[in-house]
Amino acid sequence: SNFIFLTKKKYFNDTQFYRVIDNFIIQGGNSDDVKTARKRRLIGKYLLPPDTKRGFKHDRGVISMPSSEIRNPHKLASPYEFFIVTQKGGAHFLNGDYTVFGKVIKGMDVADKIAAVATDDGDWPMRNIYIRSVEIID
């Protein structure tokens, strides 16, 4: 529901895939653009509790919530970011630690192209990869 809420607020529009690790994950929903910080301030600061007991697995194509950047022993999730598992065979060592909330059902070829871009030492793509818009389709 948080992802839908933020999508309706148009939060993800013009954010970026800012962490890219080939054959592992692509992480998006953030940006170093001032507009993104402004959107976050307007929506508010909050963390989401983990929901890992339903048995969902981090299979290839799964969409999950990363932990917050703060000291975080309870694995509270950042509401503004998400990652897509691109690893062949999945990333099952993440199971039970991060909340799965969706799955890519079409377009993993695009995720794979993003995963293959050149990155710096911090896994930030050498060229920005923008998420132009996100929409909810009934």
Side-chain angles (χ1 to χ4, degrees):
S1 64
N2 183 72
F3 193 84
I4 293 169
F5 167 74
L6 292 175
T7 298
K8 288 181 177 180
K9 293 253 184 213
K10 301 193 181 309
Y11 168 76
F12 293 109
N13 296 359
D14 298 317
T15 59
Q16 298 173 25
F17 281 100
Y18 66 91
R19 183 174 179 230
V20 172
I21 304 172
D22 195 18
N23 194 34
F24 178 44
I25 63 159
I26 58 174
Q27 190 164 324
N30 204 344
S31 171
D32 52 2
D33 189 314
V34 179
K35 292 177 194 173
T36 301
R38 190 174 306 128
K39 285 192 272 186
R40 285 183 180 209
R41 267 194 315 279
L42 289 171
I43 294 169
K45 192 174 192 175
Y46 62 101
L47 296 173
L48 299 170
D51 184 8
T52 58
K53 304 239 186 285
R54 294 188 291 162
F56 295 127
K57 307 289 184 215
H58 282 84
D59 296 326
R60 178 172 158 74
V62 153
I63 307 168
S64 191
M65 297 188 307
S67 293
S68 164
E69 300 166 359
I70 62 172
R71 288 184 121 243
N72 197 357
H74 302 292
K75 295 274 187 192
L76 297 176
S78 169
Y80 296 109
E81 300 165 23
F82 63 93
F83 65 87
I84 300 170
V85 176
T86 59
Q87 185 170 323
K88 314 273 187 283
H92 296 133
F93 62 92
L94 300 175
N95 296 344
D97 287 331
Y98 301 94
T99 300
V100 171
F101 68 91
K103 183 164 176 61
V104 175
I105 55 171
K106 186 176 178 185
M108 275 305 290
D109 58 320
V110 175
D112 290 335
K113 286 178 186 174
I114 293 169
V117 302
T119 59
D120 65 14
D121 291 340
D123 302 321
W124 192 283
M126 299 301 284
R127 295 182 61 204
N128 291 337
I129 303 169
Y130 287 96
I131 300 169
R132 292 293 176 207
S133 68
V134 177
E135 61 185 74
I136 304 298
I137 301 173
D138 293 327

